Amino acid sequence: MTRKLIKNVLTEEDARKLASSKPGATGPFSDCPTAVGRIIQKALEEVSDLETDGKAYWRTEVTSGHKVHNDLGFKFNDDLSPNGGGHMKWCKYGASCLLVPPDSFKGGEFTYYEPEENPPVEDHYLGLVIHDSKQLHKVNPVSQGTRIVLLMFFS
């Protein structure tokens, strides 16, 4: 599996609850809210080749954008030259769920970084974008409003 979008893994009510939780709420999956647990279960059901050792991490995040990076924690410059990181070498898969409607902010498109084209991921709201941790991706700058996501990392 390189990447996959699983639609409708979260209800609007659960998304509102998670989005209103303390920014940066984080923890191991054993301590996650029920809504996060349902998303994890859905991911494991939908993506049969997702093999984990049960160690994982989740967090809610208010983001104004992210430069090109992967979920091993490595950062890159725009020309793809390395720019530090590597603090999450344990991560096998990364996942993101947009918790606020996309019309509540401007910019903030999630895109996979490909050398020739970078199409945004469509229908990310209430859906789970899951990908191999080596997959380069970025979030375009947010110019207006607040973009809140649930991030999950599987080992």
Side-chain angles (χ1 to χ4, degrees):
M1 178 199 65
T2 301
R3 58 188 181 217
K4 183 172 185 172
L5 171 63
I6 306 167
K7 294 185 179 186
N8 301 314
V9 298
L10 196 62
T11 66
E12 287 186 6
E13 180 181 347
D14 283 340
R16 278 192 298 276
K17 287 178 186 175
L18 283 168
S20 65
S21 65
K22 184 175 97 177
T26 184
F29 282 138
S30 59
D31 297 335
C32 68
T34 304
V36 177
R38 284 196 299 269
I39 293 171
I40 295 162
Q41 186 61 42
K42 181 75 170 172
L44 294 174
E45 289 170 4
E46 293 279 336
V47 185
S48 60
D49 60 345
L50 182 69
E51 296 179 17
T52 72
D53 63 10
K55 295 177 185 170
Y57 170 82
W58 65 272
R59 66 176 277 124
T60 57
E61 181 175 275
V62 175
T63 180
S64 58
H66 281 289
K67 292 190 174 215
V68 178
H69 66 284
N70 65 27
D71 288 336
L72 294 169
F74 290 102
K75 301 174 189 173
F76 298 85
N77 296 313
D78 290 338
D79 65 0
L80 296 187
S81 59
N83 188 9
H87 61 283
M88 291 178 34
K89 292 179 183 175
W90 53 268
C91 184
K92 291 181 186 174
Y93 305 97
S96 172
C97 181
L98 183 60
L99 298 177
V100 295
D103 60 0
S104 67
F105 60 90
K106 290 189 180 184
E109 300 86 5
F110 179 99
T111 63
Y112 286 109
Y113 197 84
E114 305 291 342
E116 306 208 2
E117 63 179 80
N118 303 304
V121 173
E122 301 294 331
D123 298 324
H124 187 209
Y125 176 53
L126 305 178
L128 184 67
V129 177
I130 188 165
H131 49 259
D132 183 282
S133 62
K134 295 176 186 173
Q135 174 72 57
L136 296 180
H137 56 282
K138 67 179 181 176
V139 175
N140 292 331
V142 175
S143 61
Q144 185 178 8
T146 304
R147 181 184 189 273
I148 305 172
V149 295
L150 170 67
L151 301 175
M152 294 174 279
F153 306 97
F154 301 83
S155 66

